[in-house]
Amino acid sequence: MSAEPRINDRIRVPEVRLVGPSGEQVGIVPLAKALELAQEYDLDLVEVAATARPPVCKLMDYGKFKYESAMKAREARKNQAHTVIKEMKLRPKIDPHDYDTKKGHVVRFLKQGDKVKITIMFRGREQSRPELGFRLLQRLASDVEDLGFIESNPKQDGRNMIMVLGPHKKKTEAMAEAREAQAARKAERQGNAPDDAEQAESTDEVTEAPAEAQTETPSEA
């Protein structure tokens, strides 16, 4: 069954509740009268509420309406926030520098509004010390608690231990903040440009002044 509304001569009812091109209520009119008005306005008669009794029809430019609807749907898909699950892998005996680097990635992911799956990988004898992985996961969760929370508690999965962190901010909020920050940086760069030019002019004046003094001194002598 097509999702397209019925238009013009495809509408098969004796009368319709007509809405004008500007949204004004015309009232219930015979279908023939509605089609006549559509021709007068050089518009289409579009059935917008087929289940109403009588059906509601509106006078509009259907081609323009379809184009605008498609553009709105495209923009909505573009701005739709998809929750992404990032993954970060650590070893239970991780080096402090590596830990800070990994934590930095987790912080960035959470700020972006993404979930983070933390995987502790055990090798060899490390498998007999699951408490090492548990303590590391708890430490990481504590270090980023201002940005995220434990959505899935640490659990053993074969040779790995897994925990999922969820962001406090929604993806849409993170995206909006990122756009605002980008706009602010752009405005700041544009605002600093004239100051740089003025500073350059001021520097030129300072360097020219001693040159004039040097040319005047011999003449006075």
Side-chain angles (χ1 to χ4, degrees):
M1 185 176 179
S2 175
E4 292 283 331
R6 294 187 295 183
I7 65 172
N8 300 326
D9 55 0
R10 292 173 54 196
I11 301 173
R12 303 289 186 181
V13 291
E15 59 184 15
V16 299
R17 184 178 298 278
L18 186 63
V19 179
S22 299
E24 68 276 16
Q25 297 290 332
V26 178
I28 298 176
V29 299
L31 177 62
K33 177 63 176 178
L35 290 170
E36 182 182 334
L37 289 173
Q39 290 182 346
E40 289 181 9
Y41 283 104
D42 193 23
L43 295 172
D44 299 299
L45 181 66
V46 183
E47 190 177 58
V48 295
T51 58
R53 292 293 180 267
V56 180
C57 295
K58 184 176 181 180
L59 298 176
M60 67 173 74
D61 183 338
Y62 186 59
K64 181 180 179 182
F65 170 76
K66 285 186 66 176
Y67 173 77
E68 291 177 347
S69 297
M71 293 300 294
K72 288 179 181 178
R74 181 180 177 183
E75 189 67 21
R77 288 193 300 270
K78 180 181 177 182
N79 293 330
Q80 186 176 8
H82 297 283
T83 301
V84 178
I85 298 181
K86 304 287 188 177
E87 183 171 15
M88 187 59 55
K89 296 182 178 180
L90 295 80
R91 295 293 303 278
K93 296 180 180 179
I94 189 171
D95 177 83
H97 175 74
D98 290 339
Y99 173 81
D100 290 338
T101 301
K102 299 280 188 178
K103 184 181 72 174
H105 292 313
V106 174
V107 167
R108 177 164 53 87
F109 295 148
L110 292 174
K111 283 183 176 180
Q112 292 172 353
D114 296 324
K115 295 182 180 182
V116 189
K117 176 183 176 183
I118 312 296
T119 301
I120 304 295
M121 302 180 298
F122 296 96
R123 302 282 174 83
R125 296 180 180 178
E126 293 174 347
Q127 297 180 57
S128 62
R129 301 287 306 279
E131 70 277 3
L132 296 177
F134 182 81
R135 284 200 296 264
L136 182 58
L137 290 175
Q138 291 294 320
R139 173 189 173 191
L140 180 58
S142 177
D143 287 345
V144 299
E145 62 181 356
D146 56 328
L147 298 172
F149 61 95
I150 299 177
E151 185 172 289
S152 177
N153 288 315
K155 62 180 180 180
Q156 196 78 24
D157 182 16
R159 295 185 177 183
N160 301 328
M161 182 175 287
I162 297 172
M163 177 182 73
V164 177
L165 295 175
H168 288 311
K169 292 181 182 178
K170 294 182 179 179
K171 186 73 172 179
T172 50
E173 295 175 353
M175 291 172 63
E177 289 185 2
R179 286 194 294 266
E180 291 176 2
Q182 185 178 7
R185 288 194 298 269
K186 183 177 180 181
E188 185 178 355
R189 287 196 299 268
Q190 292 175 345
N192 288 338
D195 295 338
D196 294 340
E198 292 175 4
Q199 184 176 1
E201 292 176 2
S202 175
T203 304
D204 292 341
E205 293 174 359
V206 171
T207 55
E208 288 172 2
E212 294 176 358
Q214 289 174 0
T215 54
E216 291 174 359
T217 303
S219 62
E220 290 177 1

